Amino acid sequence: MSPTRQSSKTNTGMDAATLASLYQEVRQTSERICKTLVTEDYMLQAMPDVSPTRWHLAHVSWFFETFLLKPYLPGYQPLNPQYEYLFNSYYNLVGPQYYRPHRGLLSRPTVAEVYEYRAHVDRSMLALFESVKPEEIEERVSIGLNHEQQHQELILTDIKYNLSINPLRPAFHDGEIPVGDSTPPLRWHSFDGGIVSIGHDDNSFAFDNETPRHETLLHPHRIASRLVTNGEFLEFMEDSGYERPDLWLSAGWGTAQEQEWSAPLYWERLDGAWWSQTLSGMRPVDVYGPVTHVSYFEADAYARWAGKRLPTEDEWEHAAAPEPVEGNFLESGIFHPVPATGDGSHLDQVFGDVWEWTQSAYLAYPGYKTLDGALGEYNGKFMMNQMVLRGGSCVTPVSHIRPTYRNFSQPKDRWQFMGFRLAEDA
Amino acid sequence: MSPTRQSSKTNTGMDAATLASLYQEVRQTSERICKTLVTEDYMLQAMPDVSPTRWHLAHVSWFFETFLLKPYLPGYQPLNPQYEYLFNSYYNLVGPQYYRPHRGLLSRPTVAEVYEYRAHVDRSMLALFESVKPEEIEERVSIGLNHEQQHQELILTDIKYNLSINPLRPAFHDGEIPVGDSTPPLRWHSFDGGIVSIGHDDNSFAFDNETPRHETLLHPHRIASRLVTNGEFLEFMEDSGYERPDLWLSAGWGTAQEQEWSAPLYWERLDGAWWSQTLSGMRPVDVYGPVTHVSYFEADAYARWAGKRLPTEDEWEHAAAPEPVEGNFLESGIFHPVPATGDGSHLDQVFGDVWEWTQSAYLAYPGYKTLDGALGEYNGKFMMNQMVLRGGSCVTPVSHIRPTYRNFSQPKDRWQFMGFRLAEDA
Amino acid sequence: MSPTRQSSKTNTGMDAATLASLYQEVRQTSERICKTLVTEDYMLQAMPDVSPTRWHLAHVSWFFETFLLKPYLPGYQPLNPQYEYLFNSYYNLVGPQYYRPHRGLLSRPTVAEVYEYRAHVDRSMLALFESVKPEEIEERVSIGLNHEQQHQELILTDIKYNLSINPLRPAFHDGEIPVGDSTPPLRWHSFDGGIVSIGHDDNSFAFDNETPRHETLLHPHRIASRLVTNGEFLEFMEDSGYERPDLWLSAGWGTAQEQEWSAPLYWERLDGAWWSQTLSGMRPVDVYGPVTHVSYFEADAYARWAGKRLPTEDEWEHAAAPEPVEGNFLESGIFHPVPATGDGSHLDQVFGDVWEWTQSAYLAYPGYKTLDGALGEYNGKFMMNQMVLRGGSCVTPVSHIRPTYRNFSQPKDRWQFMGFRLAEDA
Amino acid sequence: MSPTRQSSKTNTGMDAATLASLYQEVRQTSERICKTLVTEDYMLQAMPDVSPTRWHLAHVSWFFETFLLKPYLPGYQPLNPQYEYLFNSYYNLVGPQYYRPHRGLLSRPTVAEVYEYRAHVDRSMLALFESVKPEEIEERVSIGLNHEQQHQELILTDIKYNLSINPLRPAFHDGEIPVGDSTPPLRWHSFDGGIVSIGHDDNSFAFDNETPRHETLLHPHRIASRLVTNGEFLEFMEDSGYERPDLWLSAGWGTAQEQEWSAPLYWERLDGAWWSQTLSGMRPVDVYGPVTHVSYFEADAYARWAGKRLPTEDEWEHAAAPEPVEGNFLESGIFHPVPATGDGSHLDQVFGDVWEWTQSAYLAYPGYKTLDGALGEYNGKFMMNQMVLRGGSCVTPVSHIRPTYRNFSQPKDRWQFMGFRLAEDA
């Protein structure tokens, strides 16, 4: 009954060459997803929550420089000492940080110089792999690579937002987005109550916030076999969902009024039909595809309207644990959620497509301990006023996700690929 | 294992005369605690979170008018139809509301007219008690009386804030505040893990957010026998507690910097000593008394500094359930927390003195259902971005509190009598 | 051709008894105009630009205390040393000031205590008149009395605004407001160009900003015999005056959009008719009366629409100089502008009714010198981003006004009794 | 004595080839001054008052497209119809405008596309010169070219600001800045009072705000032979000039406190010495050079401290009229003001170096009429809450300036090359 207190240490016994190969693969992916961008696009920061692409590409390099090269590679010379300040995101124990909402106001280092910075860090990292025993650094390298994967997702979600405010409606790329032809079947899957174990506990990589694995008590409940669709969400809209305060949390209603919400983010009404901005440009809203770019407040209001609720993160993880980590991820190149394909007999869309809002506040697991030093600032200090999302999205790398993975966001946030599935008490 | 789904219905079989007597007692208490105020004091709203005394006195009457007199008393005539708009707090299903931050900008109805409004409602309520079967209205009357008790507490906490910004430092009253003469002993009480039941489930009054009673899983832990004292909190301050970002949640650090926190609210450094504003005027900080007017962020930072944590609300309730509901409440007339008196052999200061921050987000219990209609807006819609506080304070009426009582506040809030006790994993 | 450089010194040879009598008359007027207020009304500050009545009554007393009693009355004891801070408006050379937008957040000193403060200052002033030669203090007493008269006007304009935001629409008093029965005749009066003298230059009282008297060059022009009426302004409104950016200054258009102006301040459309809040309560807009509570931006837009312009302050003063200082002032007790009564053969409504916007920026006259010391902060430091208004209003004391009097306000301001007459080039 | 009412019409009888040649020269200059920029620099908008370089380059082309190509060139096809919206600055009569503070949030059209837009407009303009009689379009072409010259200055002042907030302190170019070796001599030049004529009145180009030429009355005064230097301004700073409210206008003091001014914009204290950011990078402040990047408030406070005043715009123009239009302009390539070189026997630095603040509000001349249509929005609608500056700066094209030229800015503005010379009453 007592939770596992000890945070698991990543050590899979990987050799140096494998580590280097993994490193290069992740680093190259970051650059590959930027290949349709012009220099000007790298500069954009259309709201404080998003960052310019050039900043993302530099910051993830800063991370390796700060947590691996400086402490572990003797004689390492930073390319520019001021980058420590410019590309630190929020690590107070490392030092002060350039003002976040102003990241888009810098033209130097240029995009080319940022790529040079990446190359400099890459050369140094390869030297590091050859000079240090892999077990000494595997944990930190894993954090660095998973960190970069998080920013791969952010590069895509942020550029989507950044391009969206341009009246010319530029597309990020010209990829196709599969559409559905009928409403996917929906079934309810029942789960008993009882004590179950939740959280990560082997020596593979996981973030500290997924630990320790611990026991928790579930109550009997049912979970929907798939995500809520655009078509279903349109019914909520047509039933005055955005005009009825009784369906909303008080803070949600306030936000919706203040920001004048009447549809998910990126939706536009054109000539009597709903369209949505996508990374492939303007597309008609696919009524068979999962609704996305909705806040917790909208997901919660929809659930109340539907007479259901959102699952807790414990319920979600318990249900997801046996499912294969497969789905529509970054690797598909679609960069947009697609309709469910299952017949409802098992849980569909658990991984990929959209992050799923849960009704759980993002708080520490019993016995949670942060990492020592500045890396302890990675997750723990954000455990307030955020809700947990699970399962990854269409712009998450598949190797980045697992059933225990805890994402989190403020309940008002919409610019990530956020959606939801319903649950109910049994 | 399944939670009790049905919200309990208050019905203690009280007769009409008892109900009327209870009503009058609560209503008189509201007026009695205002007796030291001058007319001008009733007007103050020094920040949007607080309300003018005149508004509180009118709003609680509006509550009886709206939820009892209009639906249950045939022929009831409101004193002024516009009061429905002026004194509605946040009930969207009742109608629109006067803009909350501007409550202090109204001089009419005057204070005397507000007291007339109270008298009008009181006369009508007494007529109601004589004309309706008590069991038909006991639930709503109980809600109304408990609601008024909540505002009794708010009248005192709000007037404390309102007077505090006046450079003349006016006192609310001239009451004495007992001080300590030594640090009260501190012992740690151990609790096993296991499944326990939490929440309200009999037919006595409780708010809907305390229901349904349900099972939850505790992990082994220890809880401190008393509240953290001012003296202990001073050690945190002297150890640079307010200057070390590694001790703080990110949102807490941001708030502390922005609002320039360096001590609890109401503390002032005068001639090298710490003083605090109290409802009895400026007093030296009593190092033996419990620290109060600290935010969740400060409580959490202190706990991290001390190598401990805050209890969860489940842990707190489980520990508090066997304790008698006794302590320093509104009835003492002190209106300030006082030093612990116990020897540490049992839990002290569980009820009264200060509301205790827990590490639990304020969310719905499994199976929670709001009341029907506008009364459903009472609690449920605030379940977001708030933390649970337990146990009542020195300005809570004793009859208002119980072990299952869930108070809640934003983690940045400080103007209520908020403090904390520590816990740790066993 | 050279301007008179020396600021005139007020010294009319008044004896002590006359000075004391004048003093008492002005002081009593301030209290008399408050007689319809209840205690609560004295507290209101509905926007930062206005002040609570209790503050006005205290501040004008502070002025006598600061500039006369402390320097001239040996042994003078302030009633409360903190009032120096609480009731200083903007005199940096006297000391720091309580934050202006928070004047409405203080309940102490109470209204009764403010009246005691006034009595304390009055007793001391009478002692001063008996102990100092009148010529030593006449200048400062005159400033103090004119200062208090300015605040008499502000008490009335500010309480009008403060009561206006109350949905109960309370009236300040129950006075009658005369209405017209036909559009007053309008004629244009021609003035030649040439060098004329402008400004104050005898030993009677005037503010420093009216000096020195100096030569200025006028160009030939015509001035309207009366103020623009509500009826005329309605034609502008009906001709889409508030929707056509080409009629507006850029800053005016921005302000009008941001504040959603579509009519003068205090106007409301009720059942198809225009009503206006007045100090006597809600009244139908009198189409024959002068338009008031319009900003410079609205006056300027109207003039552009009408193919005319506003007069310069030099043109206004030159035209007004020969006219008698008569009209609808505070003494009438109407507290609202009334229709012109003349036949257009001479300039009507020059004094009283409404302050008239001119097209002149409020800047120093050639050779202007401020008074020495803190009194030098009275006028000079406000000479930026304000426009000049002339002629006094329906809430200006008649003894306070003269042809050379320069009032000033920001071009966006509307809460004073502001109106305008037209001019054109000849 | 009567002013010239008729706005002069630009018509110098220029032939088409000359017009085309002038056009090309101005257009090429705009591109030439951008040659040291990288693509990223073109994107920056570090505060709402400045615009990205890419916007400037597009907007000036939009101007020719809107006011010449669309009305005068039959069959003209815009490159992209949405540019009308994206690159309209403030012409409400043309149509709505993209939100100004968000100009920096657009990456498309790209910089290369903006240059294509320029080429498209240039080709069309050359076609226009061949198809329309020059006298039909000379006035509008002249406005367009002078407009583009204004934006050449803005490109340089805006990029200076935009680069300045980058902690890497990038330089715009590597040009040399001449420094002085002694304080230039200062002499006072006397001018009689009397009626003089001010304003533009021949058929050469001038903006409408310089007309009509009209008579005005000067009072006897003296004007300094040169600008105030950095060394002199440092004396003001060392005499607590930024800490003494009695030296400042009220609005200036408020702004200085709020924005924490303690030196001119771009000054930094490094190792005990004052440095300044320049378009050539960080340079020591040259005590012999003219102070620049000071607001009206600072110029006015300095003048009060020095016992002097600023000249009026009439005094300035009267003194400047006989002086040759020579000095340190954009063409010098220095892009920074330089020390005065004269011996004080005549007025030095009248043109070029820095715009000189005058004590005159920017208002219409007597008889001023705006141009018809949307071009009437060019100047007139900004005549509120701005002060006049005269004489051009080190980044003004020499062919753009003349004695009658009226520039204007808000009194708080500092990012233009703003300085001042002193005057006094005779």
Side-chain angles (χ1 to χ4, degrees), chain B residues 36-41 43-47 54 80 82-83 85-86 98 102 104-112 162-163 165-168 170-172, chain C residues 36-41 43-47 54 80 82-83 85-86 98 102 104-112 162-163 165-168 170-172:
Chain B
T36 59
L37 297 179
V38 296
T39 299
E40 290 87 341
D41 298 332
M43 298 280 294
L44 299 172
Q45 183 180 32
M47 66 166 173
R54 57 180 278 296
N80 185 326
Q82 287 183 275
Y83 290 0
Y85 167 68
L86 285 176
Y98 182 74
H102 286 187
L105 302 185
L106 301 182
S107 59
R108 320 289 178 95
T110 63
V111 173
N162 285 328
L163 293 175
I165 68 155
N166 190 321
L168 300 179
F172 167 75
Chain C
T36 60
L37 298 178
V38 296
T39 300
E40 290 87 341
D41 297 332
M43 298 280 294
L44 300 172
Q45 182 180 32
M47 67 166 173
R54 55 178 280 295
N80 185 326
Q82 287 182 277
Y83 291 1
Y85 166 68
L86 285 176
Y98 183 74
H102 287 187
L105 303 184
L106 301 182
S107 60
R108 321 288 178 94
T110 63
V111 173
N162 285 327
L163 293 175
I165 68 155
N166 192 320
L168 300 179
F172 167 76

Side-chain angles (χ1 to χ4, degrees), chain D residues 313-347:
Chain D
E313 67 166 325
D314 289 348
E315 290 167 350
W316 191 96
E317 182 172 328
H318 179 62
E323 301 294 333
V325 179
E326 297 171 357
N328 174 24
F329 288 105
L330 177 137
E331 287 77 6
S332 77
I334 300 172
F335 302 162
H336 202 76
V338 295
T341 53
D343 61 3
S345 62
H346 68 104
L347 293 187

